[in-house]
Amino acid sequence: MIKNTFISFQEKNIEESRGSVEFQVFSFTNKIRRLTSHLELHRKDYLSQRGLRKILGKRQRLLAYLSKKNRVRYKELINQLNIRELKTR
């Protein structure tokens, strides 16, 4: 499963990594992708839309926290999960 590969990728114990910001963002990202594909089929599922907005807000707050605390870990996580668009000049 994807969670197991992420845990082994981080090379941490399961108990330690579940509470980490990176694991929580990874978990929220999986939920967001799953809900997004669900909403493509069921456009009028307003409860799922509300749930998606709540999860997006939680992930956004966690990423803002990580960005303030440790910019290097933030950038690695963004690149690993392919969340943000890369700015090209």
Side-chain angles (χ1 to χ4, degrees):
M1 187 171 200
I2 296 173
K3 290 181 186 178
N4 293 336
T5 58
F6 181 74
I7 292 170
S8 64
F9 179 77
Q10 291 294 330
E11 298 176 2
K12 295 181 180 179
N13 292 335
I14 294 173
E15 292 81 19
E16 293 176 5
S17 66
R18 281 187 185 157
S20 71
V21 176
E22 289 91 348
F23 186 82
Q24 290 180 28
V25 170
F26 178 77
S27 175
F28 286 144
T29 302
N30 284 338
K31 288 181 184 179
I32 288 167
R33 289 180 179 152
R34 192 167 14 108
L35 277 173
T36 302
S37 65
H38 169 77
L39 288 172
E40 288 175 356
L41 296 174
H42 309 284
R43 296 185 191 276
K44 293 191 176 186
D45 188 356
Y46 298 115
L47 290 176
S48 293
Q49 288 177 12
R50 180 175 184 263
L52 177 63
R53 286 192 299 268
K54 288 177 69 96
I55 293 171
L56 282 169
K58 287 180 185 180
R59 186 180 75 175
Q60 184 178 9
R61 287 191 298 274
L62 280 173
L63 286 172
Y65 168 79
L66 187 61
S67 175
K68 287 180 195 173
K69 293 294 180 184
N70 192 340
R71 194 71 175 175
V72 175
R73 282 174 48 196
Y74 169 78
K75 288 188 178 189
E76 287 175 359
L77 183 64
I78 294 300
N79 290 334
Q80 181 184 358
L81 296 178
N82 197 17
I83 296 175
R84 304 269 188 258
E85 297 269 336
L86 297 175
K87 294 181 181 178
T88 56
R89 287 188 171 177

